[in-house]
Amino acid sequence: MQKLASKLDKRQSALRRLQAAGTQGCLPTSQKTSSCKAKRFSESDLRDIVAEAKRIRSRYAGDLADCLIAAKRCGLRPTEWAGTRLITGGDPAVLVLRVPNAKFDNLRSHGPTRTLTFDSLPVSERQAIERWVARITRNAAEAPRLIKALSDRLYGITRTLWPRRKKQIALYSARHEFSALAKLRYSPAEVAALMGHASDVTATDHYGRYRSGTLPPEVEALRDRLPKPDPGETLRVRRKLSAKLDRLPGLREGPAAAHSGF
């Protein structure tokens, strides 16, 4: 008992010293934290970013434009692009991507890969996705360096365009926007399948959403361009949220509740 009491006294004493020390001498905190990143990424913002990259004649202007278009339409994590493959051999009018799930384990993903199937993309957007996949997969060893360069370029451009914004667009903002759009069209399990989640509750808890009555006019058209989830992958998603909603009468009333997952 005396040894235990002595250990507790030492820990409490150490804790008091840490609390009294403050933050003087510590490294400054980074401004590139998740709390500073926007979860909304509009089409007008995308056009402004691409135009600014061209105006300053950035060597990454073309790559940045293709990357942002592809990220907004596909919802990938930046680190997943290097392992993504275009699936050929089927209908030439359909674009199919096989995406490696970056967080693949039994708790965080429904499987090692996910499948995105597009059948209503404009030609220009399909070509942008195809160019970006070809570019990022050309040399897998260089992919992290390219992603870092695009992230840094985007950081500079957004602060030039919108110096007063508290939350700026980052590469990951495209994934948040994709999730918000997907929730307007698909069930929670289908959204999870498209995003590579193990459970249908993850995107609802951690990703952005559109609130009823505030949808921009462009959203309806964008929603129709979303990829279709793979039925088999959807079945592998653990339906925690659906089970909760089933126990709460009234939350599934109306078409919006049936498709949005809220």
Side-chain angles (χ1 to χ4, degrees):
M1 291 294 293
Q2 290 180 343
K3 290 183 178 180
L4 179 60
S6 176
K7 288 182 179 180
L8 289 174
D9 287 341
K10 289 180 180 179
R11 290 179 182 178
Q12 290 173 350
S13 177
L15 180 59
R16 286 194 293 269
R17 289 197 299 272
L18 284 172
Q19 291 172 335
T23 59
Q24 185 175 1
C26 296
L27 292 174
T29 58
S30 170
Q31 296 301 310
K32 296 185 181 182
T33 62
S34 58
S35 63
C36 298
K37 296 174 183 176
K39 292 187 177 182
R40 288 276 73 80
F41 189 178
S42 70
E43 294 296 287
S44 61
D45 283 348
L46 173 60
R47 289 190 291 269
D48 289 344
I49 291 169
V50 172
E52 178 65 12
K54 291 179 179 178
R55 187 191 69 79
I56 64 176
R57 297 182 180 179
S58 169
R59 59 180 291 195
Y60 295 111
D63 287 337
L64 184 60
D66 288 345
C67 174
L68 293 178
I69 291 171
K72 285 197 67 180
R73 299 297 176 257
C74 302
L76 272 63
R77 301 175 180 91
T79 57
E80 292 174 333
W81 282 113
T84 296
R85 297 292 181 266
L86 297 175
I87 307 301
T88 59
D91 186 343
V94 176
L95 177 66
V96 181
L97 272 66
R98 185 67 46 77
V99 182
N101 289 325
K103 297 183 177 180
F104 171 49
D105 57 41
N106 291 333
L107 296 177
R108 295 184 294 179
S109 179
H110 57 67
T113 64
R114 63 187 184 273
T115 307
L116 308 181
T117 302
F118 295 88
D119 59 9
S120 57
L121 276 176
V123 173
S124 61
E125 294 183 357
R126 174 179 178 142
Q127 291 174 342
I129 294 172
E130 292 173 338
R131 283 195 305 267
W132 174 241
V133 172
R135 173 73 172 92
I136 195 68
T137 58
R138 190 178 305 156
N139 187 341
E142 293 296 318
R145 186 178 299 176
L146 177 57
I147 290 292
K148 177 66 165 56
L150 296 183
S151 179
D152 290 343
R153 178 56 62 194
L154 179 61
Y155 182 84
I157 288 175
T158 55
R159 276 146 190 79
T160 298
L161 291 173
W162 306 292
R164 296 186 179 181
R165 282 190 183 181
K166 292 183 179 180
K167 295 191 176 185
Q168 294 285 4
I169 293 167
L171 293 182
Y172 214 93
S173 299
R175 182 168 165 84
H176 283 281
E177 183 69 15
F178 175 89
S179 173
L181 286 169
K183 291 173 189 176
L184 295 174
R185 179 175 180 180
Y186 293 120
S187 71
E190 290 171 321
V191 175
L194 288 172
M195 298 191 70
H197 292 151
S199 166
D200 65 357
V201 77
T202 307
T204 299
D205 284 352
H206 301 293
Y207 288 84
R209 69 184 68 182
Y210 280 104
R211 297 189 181 279
S212 178
T214 63
L215 299 182
E218 66 190 18
V219 169
E220 290 297 328
L222 294 177
R223 181 168 56 179
D224 293 337
R225 300 177 195 175
L226 287 167
K228 294 179 179 179
D230 181 90
E233 294 167 8
T234 302
L235 288 175
R236 291 200 296 269
V237 172
R238 293 199 299 273
R239 308 192 182 201
K240 294 181 179 180
L241 179 61
S242 296
K244 290 181 180 179
L245 293 178
D246 287 339
R247 293 195 296 269
L248 297 173
L251 287 187
R252 287 200 178 275
E253 294 178 358
H259 293 288
S260 68
F262 309 135

